[in-house]
Structure formats: C-alpha cells, structure tokens
Amino acid sequence: MTEHLHLHKNTKFLSLFHTIKSTIFTKASSFTTNAATPWNTHLRNLSKHGQYKEALVLYRQMLQSGATPNAFTFPFALKSSASLSLPITGKQLHCHVIKLGCEYEPFVQTALMSMYCRCKLTEFAQKVFDEMPQRNITVCYNALISGYVQNGNFLNGFLLFDEMRLRGVLFNAVTVLGLVPGCTASRYLWLGMSLHCLNVKCGLVNDLAVANCLLTMYVRCACMELARKLFDHIPEKGLITWNAMISGYAQNGLAGEVLELYHEMELLQVNPDAVTFVGVLSACANLGAQKIGFEVEEKIRSSCMRWNVFLKNALINMYARCGNLAKARIVFDEMPEKSLVSWTAIIGGYGIHGLGNIAVELFDKMIESGIQPDGTVFVSVLSACSHAGLTAKGLNYLDLMKREYGLKPCSEHYSCVVDLLGRAGRLEEARKLIELMEDKPDGAVWGALLGACKIHKNVELAELAFNKVVELEPTNVGYYVLLSNIYTEANNSEGILRVRLMMRERKLKKDPGYSYFECKGKTYLFVAGDRSHPQTKEIYKLLNRLENTEGEYAGANENGQEVTNQEPSNIIGVHSERLAIAFALLNTGIGTDIVVIKNLRICNDCHSFVKRVSKTVDRLFVVRDATRFHHFRNGTCSCNDYW
C-alpha cells in the first residue's frame, strides 16, 4: 500500500513535471516565433520588391541579433539566394534549415528545390525531394517539375509528372504551367497536345494562364492553325492572349494575319501595349504598310509608351523597310538614349538601301560613343559593305571583330564576306575563305558564292557551290532556280534540263512571285500574270504603252489615272512588280514616289524595265526585293546594277 502510494505520488510528480516542461517549451517556442516575426515581415517585403541583396544582409543581421530563424524565414532567404544565383549561400541556408529542424516543412522544401533548380543544381533538388517523408504534396512536385523543364531536362520533368499521377497526387494549373514550356521543341509537340487533351478533360484549359501557355506552345512550334483554333475557343481573352497570337503570326511571317487580328482587337476596344505594337510594326515592315505603321506611331506618341526603346527600334526598322529611310533617321535622331539594337536597326536600314558609306559612318560613330558592338551589328555593317561594294572596309571589319573585340565570326558573317568578295569578282578568294572557316560552312555561305557566280557567269565554280549547298539544304528551291538562271545565261540547255529534272524528282516547285503596293492605307497584292484586279484592263493598257513607246509618258490625270484607248496586252506571266508599278501609276498623283515590295529577287528583265520607266516617267520608283532596296530615277538604279 505504501509502495503503491509512493508510485502514485511519483507518477503524479512526473506528469506535473512534463506539463511544466511542455509549457516552458511552448512559451519559449512562442517567444522565438514572436522574436522572428518582425524580421520575417521585413524579409518578405524586401523579397517581394526584388531587393534580394538587402534581404540576405537582413538575414545575417537577424542571426547577429540573436533572433532564431524559423520555417517562415527560410523561403524568403532562399528565394533571394536563388534570384541572385548564389548556390553556396543557398547551401549554407540549407544547413541552417536542417540545424533548426525545418527541413520537413513543405514550403521550406519547395523553396529549397526551387533554389537548387534556379542555380542549375537539379541533382540537389532531386535529393531534397527524395528525402521527403511524404511525397504526396503537389507544390513539391510542381517545384521539381518546373525546375527540370527550366534546366532543359524536359523528359525528367515529364517522368516526374507520370509518377505524380501514379501516386494519386493531384496536379493543378501550376503543374501544367511548369510542364508545357518544355513542349515547345517540335519533337515534343505530341506530348504538348496530349497535355492539352488532359487539360480539356480536367477542365484546366478554362484557366486563362493555362490557355495562354498552350497557345504559346503552339505558336513556338509554328502550328498556327492549332494556335488560332485554341485562340478562338478562349471565351474571355486577356491582353496576353491577344499578344501571344499577334506575336506568333509576326514571328511566323504571317503579316497579313497580324494586321487583321489587330483590326479585330481595335473593334473590340482592347487596349494594346508595347508588345502588341512591336508585333504590328513588324508586320507593317514586312508588308510595306507604312500608313498603318504611321498610325501606330501616332498612338505611341500620345501614350505613356512614347519613349519605349523597344518601340522606337521597331519604328526605325518599320520605316526603313517600308522605304522611308528619312523618317527612320528622324526617329533614330530623336532618341535620347540609343541602345545597341537602335544602332543595329539604323545601320541595317542604310545597308539594305545600298547606302553603305553612311552605314559605315554610323558604325564608327557608335564605336566612338562607347557602345560595345556584338555579332549582330557586325552582320549589319558587313552586309552594308557588301551591297555598296566597300570590299576593303568590309574585310577590315571582319579582322576588327576578331582582333579588337574577340568575337568569333559565325556563318552569317562569313556569308556576308563571301558575298562581298564575290561581288567584287574575287571568287577564288571567296572559295579559299570558305575552306579556311573553323566551323563547317552552312547553306547560306555556299549560297552566297553561288549568287556571286551568277553575277560573274562562272559556271564551273557555280556547279561546285550548288553541289555543296544542296547537300545542306536539299529543299531550298531558290538555289535550283539560281543555277538554272546561270545555265540560261550560258546557253547551257543540258544544264537547264538537268536542274528541272532534279526539281521534278524531288517534287520541288518555284515559289510564286508576288508584289505589294500600299495605296490610301490599303495594301494591294499582285501575282505574276494576275488578271483578277478590277483595273486589269487599264493596267495592261498602260504596260503595253510603257513597253512600246519611245516617247515620254504623259502622266496621270487629275484623278491620278492615265487615259489611253489602247487595248490590253496579251502578255502571259507578266511579273508582279510590273503590274504593281502600273497600278501605282494609275492610282497616284504626278510626282508621288512609288514603293513596291516583292517577295523574290528582282530579275534582270524587270530591273531593266523599271530603269526605262524611271527615265520616261518623272517619278522615284523604289523596289524592295528579297535582298535589298533598289531606287530607280532617271534611268539609273542605286544598286549600280550590282545586286
């Protein structure tokens, strides 16, 4: 009985002891948490506003003050370490996490995995994941899946997604947003389409962020029809959705669709932003739609985006490619601060217009201003030298980029220099330069030599260049046409027949030629032999007169139309630029400059035709073909018959 009483007293004492101990521990823990709270609040604010260095300094001050970090401290510190790409600091924080017993908190684990992935240490992120006692937490899977995809290891991310589903862990929109960007490579498109189907089944496709992500995937894989179908099925489109579609069309060369979508956007009163305008200006540059580009500039000037450097650069490019180099220069000169891209745009603009001397002057000014050139601006200046025949200057720039700036020339630089030497008739030097290239020459390099062979009628070297280029680009029709033209000028009927046979065997067809002309804000398209235009009769009458007359063309009447009683020509297959020029003469006033944009290189016959017309008609004719601008006036061309 006494023994039992003692035991009861001891048990009661031990119970009281544990209660007191637990209370003390809880109060101490509460005190620690409360002590850390103001530090955590400050850390969160710094991290939220991107002040990552200050956040890490504050974390160190927290340790020095004697305050103990807790599970709410580490996510902000780890995020700061990840954003600054400081893996050593991140590992030290990981040690603190373990030391303070916070390693099993899900949001700390997620922050650790995100940190390691951002620092390109996915193997450490995987270890954190593998050491989790419970691997059924969605946010942790999301962090690792996203990390794998961001580090270019899409297959590991997808395998982890499979494991996630097998374990019955629910996936959400964040999972999809982490996984879909990995499907932008064409070889994984089928997986992206499978994810799209899964999202439809689970209802996640109704999430606008998911829909935008899938739309971007289709755009980057150049599947514009699928992208448009998805776009049309999104019930409430945000600005990001419109921009994704507009940018996609612009990047895939579908300029007409860009302007149609932009017009639809205007009708629905969706307010565009800088991203929208960049895509629209790119489309205007491709189509030569200068009037629409001017309207966009007016909107930019009347908004808070008027000093946006990206938009200014897009405007320079648009005006230069629409043939209005003077306006491009005004935009450039107005810029208070010019970026490397700004200089590249204006130098490239002067280059494609054949004004190589001005392009070279601008490049030298850029260097004097202290801006460090990159490979892209060297491509622009080398191309400008090539179009203007500045051989010595171009060769000097190639040496300068290697010797002075330590830049390794790539195929684009070499193709410019091969073109430069080739146009100057130094074909053997061009061939030797190709042989001395460190990297294997691509199709553009051999294509430049092939083009030079056409200028100088070197059939033997042309055949060598052609054999090389079709090994690299067997489906590029342009090279077959180029060799065929070389054989035609050499009266080599056997060679012409051989090229045609090769094209037939490989089921290749020459791209149809077409030309654009903008009149009163509307863009008119003409194809070779086109007779579908309402003014066809007048166009062919005028062409007949321009082809046959030896006298001077009287010009247009007060309505901008030329009057003649001559019957239309029966010419079949008239090239598109001739039709566009005739239409322009009929529909513009006397003295108006005429700018025509063609998708292919202008042929010798059409080049000679426009020179003759410019001598007969007192107008400036500007033709932009696939490689450059030609300015025709008084029977001469700015290219000096050198294109």
Side-chain angles (χ1 to χ4, degrees):
M1 180 72 181
T2 307
E3 189 176 328
H4 179 74
L5 185 62
H6 282 299
L7 183 61
H8 177 73
K9 285 182 179 179
N10 287 339
T11 304
K12 193 174 181 180
F13 173 78
L14 286 171
S15 176
L16 180 63
F17 173 77
H18 284 302
T19 302
I20 294 168
K21 181 181 177 183
S22 176
T23 304
I24 293 170
F25 179 80
T26 303
K27 285 184 177 179
S29 178
S30 175
F31 176 78
T32 303
T33 303
N34 291 336
T37 298
W39 293 95
N40 292 347
T41 303
H42 197 179
L43 272 171
R44 181 185 61 207
N45 290 333
L46 290 172
S47 177
K48 183 180 177 181
H49 292 93
Q51 295 175 280
Y52 302 120
K53 285 184 181 178
E54 292 82 352
L56 291 177
V57 169
L58 184 70
Y59 178 77
R60 187 180 300 141
Q61 291 172 350
M62 179 182 181
L63 296 177
Q64 290 169 347
S65 73
T68 304
N70 58 28
F72 298 102
T73 312
F74 291 114
F76 307 122
L78 287 165
K79 179 186 175 183
S80 300
S81 178
S83 299
L84 296 170
S85 296
L86 298 173
I88 294 175
T89 303
K91 288 178 181 179
Q92 290 172 337
L93 286 167
H94 192 173
C95 292
H96 291 191
V97 166
I98 295 169
K99 185 177 179 181
L100 294 168
C102 299
E103 68 268 32
Y104 297 124
E105 294 288 348
F107 42 91
V108 175
Q109 291 170 333
T110 304
L112 280 167
M113 285 188 283
S114 296
M115 181 273 296
Y116 281 126
C117 290
R118 288 280 297 274
C119 293
K120 302 186 185 303
L121 297 171
T122 49
E123 65 276 15
F124 286 94
Q126 183 68 57
K127 284 181 181 178
V128 173
F129 183 80
D130 291 340
E131 290 170 2
M132 289 168 52
Q134 290 184 324
R135 293 167 61 176
N136 60 353
I137 303 170
T138 302
V139 289
C140 294
Y141 271 99
N142 289 350
L144 191 53
I145 287 170
S146 177
Y148 272 128
V149 173
Q150 288 169 7
N151 283 281
N153 200 337
F154 171 69
L155 288 178
N156 272 7
F158 203 86
L159 289 171
L160 196 61
F161 177 65
D162 274 349
E163 179 191 313
M164 182 181 187
R165 297 189 66 209
L166 286 170
R167 287 176 175 269
V169 181
L170 295 175
F171 69 93
N172 55 22
V174 178
T175 321
V176 177
L177 293 172
L179 200 54
V180 170
C183 303
T184 52
S186 296
R187 65 182 183 276
Y188 296 136
L189 177 62
W190 65 277
L191 284 172
M193 294 174 75
S194 300
L195 281 170
H196 187 176
C197 293
L198 183 63
N199 287 321
V200 171
K201 186 178 178 181
C202 298
L204 285 173
V205 78
N206 296 323
D207 185 297
L208 187 57
V210 171
N212 289 339
C213 192
L214 288 165
L215 181 63
T216 303
M217 175 195 74
Y218 285 125
V219 161
R220 289 183 179 171
C221 291
C223 296
M224 296 310 299
E225 288 185 16
L226 292 174
R228 186 55 192 255
K229 281 181 182 178
L230 175 58
F231 176 83
D232 290 338
H233 281 89
I234 297 173
E236 294 184 12
K237 302 173 182 68
L239 182 57
I240 292 172
T241 316
W242 287 94
N243 285 345
M245 201 69 223
I246 284 175
S247 299
Y249 276 140
Q251 289 160 15
N252 286 279
L254 300 169
E257 286 81 347
V258 170
L259 298 187
E260 284 179 15
L261 200 61
Y262 175 61
H263 180 60
E264 185 182 335
M265 192 175 174
E266 285 185 310
L267 291 175
L268 293 171
Q269 297 183 332
V270 179
N271 291 323
D273 65 359
V275 177
T276 319
F277 285 139
V278 166
V280 173
L281 289 170
S282 173
C284 292
N286 286 333
L287 291 176
Q290 185 176 184
K291 187 174 186 300
I292 298 173
F294 179 76
E295 290 170 359
V296 168
E297 184 187 10
E298 290 298 300
K299 290 181 180 179
I300 292 168
R301 285 182 179 276
S302 62
S303 71
C304 59
M305 297 178 277
R306 61 181 306 173
W307 299 116
N308 186 300
V309 175
F310 298 103
L311 289 174
K312 290 289 186 182
N313 295 339
L315 284 167
I316 293 167
N317 180 61
M318 184 273 295
Y319 280 122
R321 294 193 64 194
C322 287
N324 194 341
L325 198 52
K327 181 63 177 172
R329 184 60 185 264
I330 289 169
V331 175
F332 176 79
D333 290 338
E334 283 178 347
M335 294 178 70
E337 290 185 17
K338 301 169 179 66
S339 68
L340 177 59
V341 177
S342 313
W343 286 97
T344 303
I346 196 67
I347 290 167
Y350 278 105
I352 59 174
H353 281 269
L355 300 171
N357 287 317
I358 300 176
V360 163
E361 285 176 15
L362 284 166
F363 181 81
D364 292 340
K365 279 185 182 178
M366 183 194 80
I367 299 296
E368 288 171 12
S369 71
I371 291 180
Q372 188 83 358
D374 65 357
T376 305
V377 75
F378 268 111
V379 169
S380 293
V381 76
L382 286 170
S383 178
C385 291
S386 174
H387 287 309
L390 303 174
T391 311
K393 197 75 176 174
L395 291 172
N396 180 58
Y397 282 137
L398 181 68
D399 177 64
L400 186 73
M401 71 177 291
K402 292 187 288 187
R403 175 174 44 82
E404 189 73 22
Y405 297 103
L407 296 170
K408 181 183 176 182
C410 66
S411 64
E412 286 182 282
H413 302 103
Y414 281 112
S415 63
C416 288
V417 177
V418 167
D419 187 61
L420 180 80
L421 291 168
R423 289 173 185 272
R426 295 158 66 170
L427 297 177
E428 191 57 31
E429 284 183 61
R431 186 184 64 79
K432 287 181 179 177
L433 179 68
I434 295 173
E435 290 175 352
L436 292 171
M437 284 176 61
E438 292 180 31
D439 298 324
K440 184 180 177 181
D442 64 5
V445 176
W446 287 110
L449 183 60
L450 182 62
C453 290
K454 181 183 182 299
I455 295 170
H456 299 286
K457 300 177 174 58
N458 189 324
V459 177
E460 185 180 350
L461 189 55
E463 289 174 336
L464 169 68
F466 176 78
N467 289 333
K468 294 286 187 181
V469 79
V470 294
E471 284 180 17
L472 299 163
E473 298 180 29
T475 60
N476 191 322
V477 180
Y479 297 130
Y480 296 86
V481 174
L482 198 53
L483 183 63
S484 179
N485 291 340
I486 292 170
Y487 283 139
T488 301
E489 291 180 7
N491 296 316
N492 186 338
S493 56
E494 186 182 335
I496 297 168
L497 189 62
R498 192 163 58 249
V499 173
R500 287 178 181 172
L501 186 61
M502 288 173 67
M503 290 180 70
R504 194 177 299 119
E505 287 173 349
R506 297 175 187 186
K507 298 179 180 178
L508 301 174
K509 290 184 179 180
K510 183 181 176 181
D511 294 332
Y514 56 83
S515 297
Y516 291 102
F517 175 71
E518 185 187 42
C519 183
K520 298 172 185 175
K522 186 177 178 181
T523 302
Y524 294 87
L525 173 69
F526 297 88
V527 297
D530 196 347
R531 287 184 179 270
S532 62
H533 196 277
Q535 288 182 273
T536 290
K537 189 174 180 179
E538 291 84 356
I539 288 170
Y540 278 92
K541 279 181 182 179
L542 180 54
L543 278 177
N544 253 348
R545 186 172 179 182
L546 291 171
E547 286 282 7
N548 300 325
T549 185
E550 292 183 2
E552 289 193 359
Y553 169 59
N557 62 16
E558 64 273 10
N559 296 320
Q561 293 186 327
E562 195 273 339
V563 180
T564 176
N565 294 320
Q566 196 171 349
E567 289 301 315
S569 168
N570 291 319
I571 299 170
I572 297 173
V574 175
H575 283 188
S576 59
E577 58 267 48
R578 299 193 190 203
L579 298 171
I581 286 170
F583 171 80
L585 287 169
L586 289 167
N587 291 277
T588 58
I590 295 171
T592 306
D593 295 347
I594 292 172
V595 180
V596 172
I597 294 174
K598 182 178 171 67
N599 68 320
L600 304 175
R601 285 183 68 173
I602 189 170
C603 68
N604 286 327
D605 287 344
C606 288
H607 194 267
S608 299
F609 167 77
V610 185
K611 282 203 299 183
R612 290 197 304 273
V613 172
S614 72
K615 192 174 183 179
T616 304
V617 183
D618 186 21
R619 300 277 195 107
L620 170 65
F621 295 88
V622 180
V623 177
R624 187 187 93 191
D625 70 4
T627 57
R628 63 173 298 157
F629 277 87
H630 300 262
H631 296 251
F632 299 90
R633 190 187 282 280
N634 298 324
T636 62
C637 179
S638 60
C639 74
N640 296 317
D641 301 333
Y642 188 74
W643 84 98

